[in-house]
Amino acid sequence: MRWFIVILVCSCSFAKGQTYRYLVRFTDKAGSPFAISNPSAFLSQRAIERRGKQGIQVTENDFPPNTSYLDSLKSKGALVIYPTRWLNGALIQATEAQKDSILQLSFVNAVEFNTPLKQVRKATRESKFSIEEISSLNYGDASAQINLLGVDSMHNAGFYGENMLVAVMDNGFLNANTIDCLDTLFSKNHVLEIYDFVDKDSSVFSDGGHGTNVLSCMAGYVPGSLIAPAFRADYVLFRTEDDFSESKAEEVYWLIAAERADSLGVDVINTSLGYSTFDNTADNYSTSDMDGNTTIITRAADLAASKGMVVVNSAGNSGGTSWNIITAPADGDSVLAVGATTRTGEIIGFSSRGPAADGTVKPDVMAVGWQTALCFPDTTIGTSQGTSFSSPLTAAMATGFWQSRPYLTAFEVLESIRKSGDQYFTPDNDYGYGMANFVRAYHTAEINFPVRSLQAINPIKSVSLIPSSKGKLKFSFANNLVGKELRISIINLHLKQTIHQNSFVLTSENHDEEIAGNEILPGVILRIENVTEAKTEAIFRF
């Protein structure tokens, strides 16, 4: 049906003048009905709180563009596809004559690149992604990608991504809502929003198996076969990539999706996409354009980071080709670009190299991208390869890491993960800062970004902790936890082991926990889980 409609549109446009897509930029946001003092008019409460926690101010840049400007574009015959807050303009569809007329408007600053963002549907439906299933897996076969990132320690410490919100931008999530691998994600209502920015509908589950593979690397949960790093996080799933064409319009779809992610209060964005060449070869970028400032998507990614989100992107699979280096938006200086290694930590030939054209170290870090354990849209579990999969593994680890250090800003999370690389002091153009690792990031944050307040560590506020010098910990619980089964754990991340654990049904608001005197050491974690409701209530550090 989609292809029939496209043919109709094209045949009509030739009769009236060929239409193209343009990114129109406005000069200002004068006359805006929005105000910095009322951010709830354009940002969710979660987004406002995320910014407040990091000291990020709401500015005019966050306002939607002036509606009267958008109306003027429509009056010129243009179809407004998406407005953009951050770049202050709109993606439109118009004839060349309409575009020229729009450029005469006093409030129009320019058309991005001064060229149409041609979106050419290819005659065949051959996907640009090639996903090869190599073998069936069990959990042991997946352990390397987990262990190299230190996710086993992250899970042992009780960090599964709870209360974190992650956006995944990809080519669609074919059958993701029906396969066993992701059943827990959907049955536990961890998917909060879906949208297809390419087709402007909610049909994300009927396109693109690549997004399904990527999502399973982050949230897959099949005990005994595959458990991904952030299987208890919440997700929003956005289709921004068109499998059957390559155009700069897709960069704008990503921009609009990132703005939506920001307004929802997303913490982490993963994108396993990269842009360098297009169907219209006149639009191709050069390697010198990978400078962190040129492409639409890189500028959008850096803006997303400036709003308090951690942006993780695959470095690209161009290693060994004439291009060889990372592709946009991995060139962004605020983007965590992830290269690919084998299960034993050696770089794979196809992993894109660095640096960015401006000299920024790229890739930032590495993760397993060869024989990566993941799930397929046909319900099977297997392996595949690409920086497309090292990126979501790292993004999911970053999600759990930020859960463990909730007082950090997005830039401090980014810096902690860079510093967790096993060659941070001797970066190169192949491995960047080296293999990322949760435990190293955790301790790096301890040194570089010390805890600022107990309230920041424990925003849930349902538990108050009073250490005792007599071998006991005294707790005062919120009344709503009485009657629930709780589990108290003390974890030593240095030793990678749980040194104390006790489960019990809470009978009153007060509880004494007997412990050995040598269990409370500097840096150990105390976790309180609500077993009845399968969630973590609070995390403390000594």
Side-chain angles (χ1 to χ4, degrees):
M1 179 63 69
R2 176 197 300 169
W3 295 101
F4 177 69
I5 293 172
V6 170
I7 291 171
L8 273 180
V9 170
C10 289
S11 64
C12 292
S13 63
F14 278 114
K16 299 179 180 178
Q18 177 68 59
T19 61
Y20 299 104
R21 295 191 171 187
Y22 301 91
L23 180 59
V24 176
R25 301 285 301 278
F26 301 149
T27 56
D28 55 59
K29 292 186 177 179
S32 175
F34 301 101
I36 291 173
S37 60
N38 185 28
S40 60
F42 48 90
L43 295 174
S44 69
Q45 185 59 35
R46 182 183 176 114
I48 295 169
E49 291 173 357
R50 185 197 67 216
R51 293 181 184 216
K53 186 179 75 169
Q54 301 181 56
I56 297 172
Q57 300 297 314
V58 175
T59 68
E60 188 180 83
N61 176 256
D62 297 304
F63 294 176
N66 191 312
T67 54
S68 66
Y69 293 174
L70 298 175
D71 289 340
S72 294
L73 300 184
K74 295 174 186 176
S75 71
K76 295 291 186 179
L79 172 66
V80 175
I81 301 172
Y82 292 115
T84 166
R85 292 188 287 127
W86 297 345
L87 295 190
N88 189 25
L91 177 67
I92 67 168
Q93 186 159 311
T95 65
E96 189 170 357
Q98 289 167 340
K99 179 265 295 182
D100 291 341
S101 177
I102 286 169
L103 279 172
Q104 302 307 309
L105 295 170
S106 61
F107 59 82
V108 171
N109 182 43
V111 169
E112 188 79 20
F113 296 123
N114 201 33
T115 58
L117 307 179
K118 294 180 180 178
Q119 188 174 21
V120 182
R121 293 282 185 174
K122 295 180 180 178
T124 66
R125 291 184 61 89
E126 179 184 357
S127 170
K128 70 183 71 171
F129 295 105
S130 176
I131 305 299
E132 177 187 358
E133 181 178 356
I134 298 175
S135 61
S136 61
L137 299 178
N138 56 41
Y139 188 79
D141 196 38
S143 63
Q145 66 200 49
I146 295 297
N147 295 342
L148 282 175
L149 282 174
V151 170
D152 53 339
S153 296
M154 185 176 89
H155 285 171
N156 288 339
F159 304 115
Y160 315 110
E162 291 166 295
N163 302 313
M164 302 295 290
L165 184 56
V166 181
V168 185
M169 321 309 210
D170 219 285
N171 72 334
F173 305 89
L174 183 65
N175 298 335
N177 59 331
T178 61
I179 61 176
D180 292 342
C181 177
L182 295 169
D183 177 69
T184 298
L185 189 67
F186 289 90
S187 65
K188 299 293 186 183
N189 299 316
H190 287 304
V191 176
L192 305 188
E193 182 168 296
I194 60 174
Y195 194 72
D196 185 332
F197 286 89
V198 178
D199 290 338
K200 298 192 74 174
D201 59 31
S202 296
S203 61
V204 299
F205 302 125
S206 60
D207 288 286
H210 183 264
T212 306
N213 304 138
V214 166
L215 180 60
S216 72
C217 291
M218 306 181 77
Y221 185 75
V222 183
S225 297
L226 172 67
I227 297 179
F231 61 89
R232 285 189 181 172
D234 293 325
Y235 290 84
V236 295
L237 309 179
F238 295 146
R239 180 182 178 228
T240 63
E241 173 74 5
D242 186 349
D243 255 356
F244 312 112
S245 71
E246 193 78 338
S247 74
K248 289 181 178 178
E250 293 166 291
E251 297 185 67
V252 182
Y253 301 150
W254 194 98
L255 161 68
I256 305 304
E259 290 181 0
R260 177 59 182 166
D262 169 45
S263 68
L264 291 172
V266 160
D267 301 299
V268 178
I269 294 175
N270 180 77
T271 307
S272 292
L273 305 170
Y275 296 92
S276 58
T277 59
F278 302 93
D279 296 339
N280 180 20
T281 56
D283 289 339
N284 288 353
Y285 292 124
S286 66
T287 54
S288 62
D289 289 327
M290 302 296 110
D291 60 1
N293 298 301
T294 298
T295 71
I296 296 171
I297 194 170
T298 299
R299 284 146 54 201
D302 280 345
L303 279 165
S306 74
K307 308 299 181 182
M309 294 179 282
V310 172
V311 182
V312 185
N313 205 94
S314 54
N317 300 329
S318 299
T321 70
S322 58
W323 182 272
N324 196 52
I325 67 165
I326 42 90
T327 51
D331 59 317
D333 60 8
S334 299
V335 176
L336 191 73
V338 187
T341 72
T342 66
R343 297 180 180 193
T344 54
E346 290 81 26
I347 192 171
I348 289 295
F350 61 69
S351 185
S352 290
R353 269 55 172 183
D358 65 351
T360 301
V361 172
K362 293 290 175 179
D364 291 270
V365 292
M366 308 293 283
V368 173
W370 176 258
Q371 294 186 331
T372 307
L374 45 76
C375 303
F376 293 87
D378 64 0
T379 77
T380 60
I381 297 176
T383 62
S384 194
Q385 56 278 334
T387 58
S388 284
F389 311 125
S390 56
S391 177
L393 285 173
T394 306
M397 182 273 281
T399 301
F401 168 67
W402 206 355
Q403 180 195 8
S404 78
R405 295 287 193 183
Y407 61 89
L408 295 178
T409 68
F411 281 107
E412 289 170 344
V413 171
L414 191 69
E415 190 65 12
S416 295
I417 293 176
R418 284 172 174 155
K419 288 183 176 180
S420 79
D422 59 0
Q423 59 175 42
Y424 176 74
F425 294 104
T426 56
D428 60 35
N429 294 333
D430 294 333
Y431 292 86
Y433 295 113
M435 184 68 67
N437 183 274
F438 168 81
V439 176
R440 290 196 294 266
Y442 187 89
H443 294 306
T444 293
E446 189 83 49
I447 296 170
N448 292 277
F449 310 111
V451 175
R452 289 184 276 272
S453 73
L454 183 60
Q455 181 178 354
I457 299 175
N458 179 27
I460 301 170
K461 302 177 182 177
S462 60
V463 182
S464 62
L465 174 63
I466 305 172
S468 168
S469 61
K470 299 180 180 179
K472 289 184 179 180
L473 294 173
K474 294 182 177 292
F475 298 90
S476 178
F477 290 93
N479 181 262
N480 66 335
L481 294 178
V482 174
K484 305 291 177 62
E485 182 182 356
L486 303 183
R487 179 165 55 226
I488 293 177
S489 305
I490 298 176
I491 302 105
N492 188 320
L493 276 179
H494 290 281
L495 300 178
K496 296 185 178 182
Q497 59 184 228
T498 299
I499 56 179
H500 176 92
Q501 190 168 86
N502 181 37
S503 298
F504 56 93
V505 175
L506 187 65
T507 58
S508 71
E509 294 182 13
N510 298 313
H511 173 78
D512 291 352
E513 184 76 9
E514 293 189 3
I515 59 171
N518 61 355
E519 288 179 350
I520 302 301
L521 300 171
V524 300
I525 294 172
L526 185 143
R527 182 177 78 246
I528 301 166
E529 296 172 277
N530 183 337
V531 178
T532 303
E533 299 178 2
K535 65 179 182 179
T536 298
E537 291 288 351
I539 297 167
F540 296 94
R541 293 171 192 83
F542 293 91

mmCIF file of all heavy atoms in Angstrom, residues 389-407:
data_model
loop_
_atom_site.group_PDB
_atom_site.id
_atom_site.type_symbol
_atom_site.label_atom_id
_atom_site.label_comp_id
_atom_site.label_asym_id
_atom_site.label_seq_id
_atom_site.Cartn_x
_atom_site.Cartn_y
_atom_site.Cartn_z
ATOM 1 N N PHE A 389 26.219 -3.019 17.108
ATOM 2 C CA PHE A 389 25.895 -3.794 18.305
ATOM 3 C C PHE A 389 26.820 -3.486 19.470
ATOM 4 O O PHE A 389 26.426 -3.623 20.628
ATOM 5 C CB PHE A 389 25.895 -5.284 17.954
ATOM 6 C CG PHE A 389 25.077 -5.567 16.720
ATOM 7 C CD1 PHE A 389 25.615 -6.230 15.626
ATOM 8 C CD2 PHE A 389 23.783 -5.090 16.622
ATOM 9 C CE1 PHE A 389 24.863 -6.439 14.484
ATOM 10 C CE2 PHE A 389 23.016 -5.299 15.478
ATOM 11 C CZ PHE A 389 23.562 -5.978 14.401
ATOM 12 N N SER A 390 28.029 -3.028 19.174
ATOM 13 C CA SER A 390 28.892 -2.578 20.280
ATOM 14 C C SER A 390 28.336 -1.301 20.900
ATOM 15 O O SER A 390 28.476 -1.062 22.101
ATOM 16 C CB SER A 390 30.326 -2.350 19.788
ATOM 17 O OG SER A 390 30.380 -1.441 18.705
ATOM 18 N N SER A 391 27.667 -0.485 20.088
ATOM 19 C CA SER A 391 27.099 0.771 20.596
ATOM 20 C C SER A 391 25.967 0.538 21.597
ATOM 21 O O SER A 391 26.010 1.099 22.706
ATOM 22 C CB SER A 391 26.610 1.632 19.427
ATOM 23 O OG SER A 391 26.000 2.815 19.878
ATOM 24 N N PRO A 392 24.930 -0.256 21.282
ATOM 25 C CA PRO A 392 23.865 -0.447 22.276
ATOM 26 C C PRO A 392 24.332 -1.163 23.530
ATOM 27 O O PRO A 392 23.803 -0.899 24.620
ATOM 28 C CB PRO A 392 22.816 -1.264 21.518
ATOM 29 C CG PRO A 392 23.541 -1.908 20.395
ATOM 30 C CD PRO A 392 24.604 -0.924 20.005
ATOM 31 N N LEU A 393 25.302 -2.062 23.407
ATOM 32 C CA LEU A 393 25.853 -2.688 24.616
ATOM 33 C C LEU A 393 26.432 -1.617 25.533
ATOM 34 O O LEU A 393 26.203 -1.622 26.753
ATOM 35 C CB LEU A 393 26.936 -3.700 24.238
ATOM 36 C CG LEU A 393 26.480 -5.027 23.646
ATOM 37 C CD1 LEU A 393 27.689 -5.826 23.169
ATOM 38 C CD2 LEU A 393 25.682 -5.843 24.662
ATOM 39 N N THR A 394 27.178 -0.682 24.950
ATOM 40 C CA THR A 394 27.799 0.381 25.738
ATOM 41 C C THR A 394 26.751 1.351 26.269
ATOM 42 O O THR A 394 26.830 1.799 27.422
ATOM 43 C CB THR A 394 28.843 1.125 24.893
ATOM 44 O OG1 THR A 394 29.772 0.184 24.345
ATOM 45 C CG2 THR A 394 29.589 2.151 25.717
ATOM 46 N N ALA A 395 25.765 1.684 25.445
ATOM 47 C CA ALA A 395 24.698 2.585 25.896
ATOM 48 C C ALA A 395 23.934 1.978 27.065
ATOM 49 O O ALA A 395 23.566 2.681 28.016
ATOM 50 C CB ALA A 395 23.747 2.886 24.739
ATOM 51 N N ALA A 396 23.685 0.674 27.003
ATOM 52 C CA ALA A 396 22.970 0.003 28.090
ATOM 53 C C ALA A 396 23.820 -0.036 29.354
ATOM 54 O O ALA A 396 23.307 0.114 30.466
ATOM 55 C CB ALA A 396 22.575 -1.407 27.659
ATOM 56 N N MET A 397 25.130 -0.258 29.189
ATOM 57 C CA MET A 397 26.021 -0.200 30.352
ATOM 58 C C MET A 397 26.023 1.206 30.937
ATOM 59 O O MET A 397 25.969 1.402 32.162
ATOM 60 C CB MET A 397 27.439 -0.614 29.959
ATOM 61 C CG MET A 397 28.433 -0.637 31.127
ATOM 62 S SD MET A 397 29.227 0.959 31.457
ATOM 63 C CE MET A 397 30.485 0.973 30.175
ATOM 64 N N ALA A 398 26.051 2.233 30.063
ATOM 65 C CA ALA A 398 26.020 3.624 30.529
ATOM 66 C C ALA A 398 24.736 3.918 31.294
ATOM 67 O O ALA A 398 24.731 4.683 32.259
ATOM 68 C CB ALA A 398 26.154 4.578 29.339
ATOM 69 N N THR A 399 23.644 3.280 30.874
ATOM 70 C CA THR A 399 22.361 3.456 31.559
ATOM 71 C C THR A 399 22.435 2.928 32.982
ATOM 72 O O THR A 399 22.021 3.595 33.936
ATOM 73 C CB THR A 399 21.254 2.725 30.775
ATOM 74 O OG1 THR A 399 21.175 3.257 29.450
ATOM 75 C CG2 THR A 399 19.910 2.870 31.468
ATOM 76 N N GLY A 400 22.968 1.713 33.141
ATOM 77 C CA GLY A 400 23.137 1.150 34.478
ATOM 78 C C GLY A 400 24.146 1.923 35.305
ATOM 79 O O GLY A 400 23.976 2.093 36.519
ATOM 80 N N PHE A 401 25.199 2.404 34.651
ATOM 81 C CA PHE A 401 26.204 3.195 35.358
ATOM 82 C C PHE A 401 25.597 4.478 35.896
ATOM 83 O O PHE A 401 25.821 4.858 37.053
ATOM 84 C CB PHE A 401 27.375 3.508 34.428
ATOM 85 C CG PHE A 401 28.308 4.549 34.976
ATOM 86 C CD1 PHE A 401 29.084 4.288 36.099
ATOM 87 C CD2 PHE A 401 28.394 5.807 34.397
ATOM 88 C CE1 PHE A 401 29.932 5.263 36.631
ATOM 89 C CE2 PHE A 401 29.234 6.780 34.908
ATOM 90 C CZ PHE A 401 30.007 6.496 36.036
ATOM 91 N N TRP A 402 24.799 5.161 35.076
ATOM 92 C CA TRP A 402 24.181 6.412 35.535
ATOM 93 C C TRP A 402 23.176 6.133 36.651
ATOM 94 O O TRP A 402 23.025 6.922 37.572
ATOM 95 C CB TRP A 402 23.506 7.129 34.381
ATOM 96 C CG TRP A 402 23.392 8.615 34.577
ATOM 97 C CD1 TRP A 402 23.732 9.326 35.683
ATOM 98 C CD2 TRP A 402 22.922 9.569 33.623
ATOM 99 N NE1 TRP A 402 23.498 10.671 35.484
ATOM 100 C CE2 TRP A 402 22.995 10.848 34.231
ATOM 101 C CE3 TRP A 402 22.435 9.466 32.321
ATOM 102 C CZ2 TRP A 402 22.603 12.017 33.567
ATOM 103 C CZ3 TRP A 402 22.051 10.634 31.667
ATOM 104 C CH2 TRP A 402 22.137 11.886 32.280
ATOM 105 N N GLN A 403 22.506 4.985 36.579
ATOM 106 C CA GLN A 403 21.630 4.585 37.675
ATOM 107 C C GLN A 403 22.435 4.442 38.971
ATOM 108 O O GLN A 403 21.971 4.815 40.051
ATOM 109 C CB GLN A 403 20.933 3.264 37.349
ATOM 110 C CG GLN A 403 20.003 2.776 38.455
ATOM 111 C CD GLN A 403 19.599 1.317 38.294
ATOM 112 O OE1 GLN A 403 20.114 0.608 37.436
ATOM 113 N NE2 GLN A 403 18.682 0.867 39.129
ATOM 114 N N SER A 404 23.655 3.931 38.854
ATOM 115 C CA SER A 404 24.490 3.733 40.041
ATOM 116 C C SER A 404 25.072 5.037 40.577
ATOM 117 O O SER A 404 25.442 5.121 41.747
ATOM 118 C CB SER A 404 25.636 2.764 39.717
ATOM 119 O OG SER A 404 26.683 3.395 38.988
ATOM 120 N N ARG A 405 25.174 6.035 39.730
ATOM 121 C CA ARG A 405 25.728 7.349 40.107
ATOM 122 C C ARG A 405 24.754 8.443 39.665
ATOM 123 O O ARG A 405 25.062 9.266 38.796
ATOM 124 C CB ARG A 405 27.075 7.563 39.424
ATOM 125 C CG ARG A 405 28.178 6.607 39.852
ATOM 126 C CD ARG A 405 28.678 6.926 41.222
ATOM 127 N NE ARG A 405 29.926 6.231 41.542
ATOM 128 C CZ ARG A 405 30.522 6.305 42.711
ATOM 129 N NH1 ARG A 405 29.990 7.048 43.674
ATOM 130 N NH2 ARG A 405 31.636 5.659 42.943
ATOM 131 N N PRO A 406 23.541 8.481 40.242
ATOM 132 C CA PRO A 406 22.505 9.376 39.726
ATOM 133 C C PRO A 406 22.789 10.857 39.904
ATOM 134 O O PRO A 406 22.108 11.684 39.299
ATOM 135 C CB PRO A 406 21.267 8.957 40.517
ATOM 136 C CG PRO A 406 21.789 8.349 41.768
ATOM 137 C CD PRO A 406 23.059 7.664 41.376
ATOM 138 N N TYR A 407 23.769 11.206 40.727
ATOM 139 C CA TYR A 407 24.079 12.619 40.936
ATOM 140 C C TYR A 407 24.946 13.191 39.820
ATOM 141 O O TYR A 407 25.148 14.407 39.732
ATOM 142 C CB TYR A 407 24.800 12.810 42.278
ATOM 143 C CG TYR A 407 26.110 12.065 42.372
ATOM 144 C CD1 TYR A 407 27.297 12.665 41.957
ATOM 145 C CD2 TYR A 407 26.170 10.772 42.869
ATOM 146 C CE1 TYR A 407 28.502 11.997 42.030
ATOM 147 C CE2 TYR A 407 27.365 10.091 42.947
ATOM 148 C CZ TYR A 407 28.529 10.695 42.519
ATOM 149 O OH TYR A 407 29.724 10.028 42.584
#
